[in-house]
Amino acid sequence: QPQLAESGGGLVQPGQSLRLACTAPGRSLDYYFIGWFRQAPGKEREGVACISINGRMSDYADSVKGRFTIFRDYDRNTVYLQMNSLKPEDTAVYFCATVDHGSTTATMNGRYWGQGTQVTVSS
């Protein structure tokens, strides 16, 4: 099974951008639907975005539509989450995971997970 790893988190000010990366060293992500989740302190984990194997289909939570973009780089075996116009309410630990084919952000459940990366949006 793939061991996923996230990177790219950090502390930014409101309105700034971050790009998170999800990779699986030694294992191809080409055959997996990938989802990004986040969990803020005291809140339930929520699905943020997901992408199909061929990269042609994606889905986003309403709270991030128009600001976040999920995309794949097959040469780098990486799935990215580009986060623009960040808000304090985006502060959370972000996780990537493999999810079932055909998932949406409302239905996806992670199977193989990364360890998470902290994103903090604060002035």
Side-chain angles (χ1 to χ4, degrees), residues 4-115:
L4 275 63
E6 304 91 342
S7 62
L11 171 63
V12 296
Q13 295 185 341
Q16 292 186 328
S17 300
L18 279 175
R19 179 177 290 183
L20 306 183
C22 173
T23 190
R27 187 77 178 233
S28 174
L29 291 179
D30 290 359
Y31 310 108
Y32 297 94
F33 258 70
I34 299 295
W36 280 97
F37 300 78
R38 67 186 181 186
Q39 187 163 21
K43 295 187 177 181
E44 291 188 355
R45 186 179 62 207
E46 65 171 333
V48 175
C50 59
I51 190 166
S52 62
I53 290 173
N54 63 9
R56 294 176 184 172
M57 293 186 296
S58 58
D59 189 52
Y60 298 90
D62 287 343
S63 58
V64 306
K65 278 180 182 176
R67 300 188 298 121
F68 290 12
T69 303
I70 187 172
F71 62 99
R72 310 185 75 123
D73 185 329
Y74 295 96
D75 290 339
R76 289 182 167 82
N77 192 39
T78 302
V79 176
Y80 293 99
L81 184 68
Q82 177 67 41
M83 306 187 297
N84 298 330
S85 302
L86 282 161
K87 304 175 181 180
E89 52 264 42
D90 295 318
T91 295
V93 179
Y94 284 71
F95 302 88
C96 65
T98 63
V99 298
D100 291 338
H101 290 204
S103 291
T104 67
T105 54
T107 64
M108 64 184 188
N109 291 295
R111 183 172 185 185
Y112 303 115
W113 292 84
Q115 80 287 350

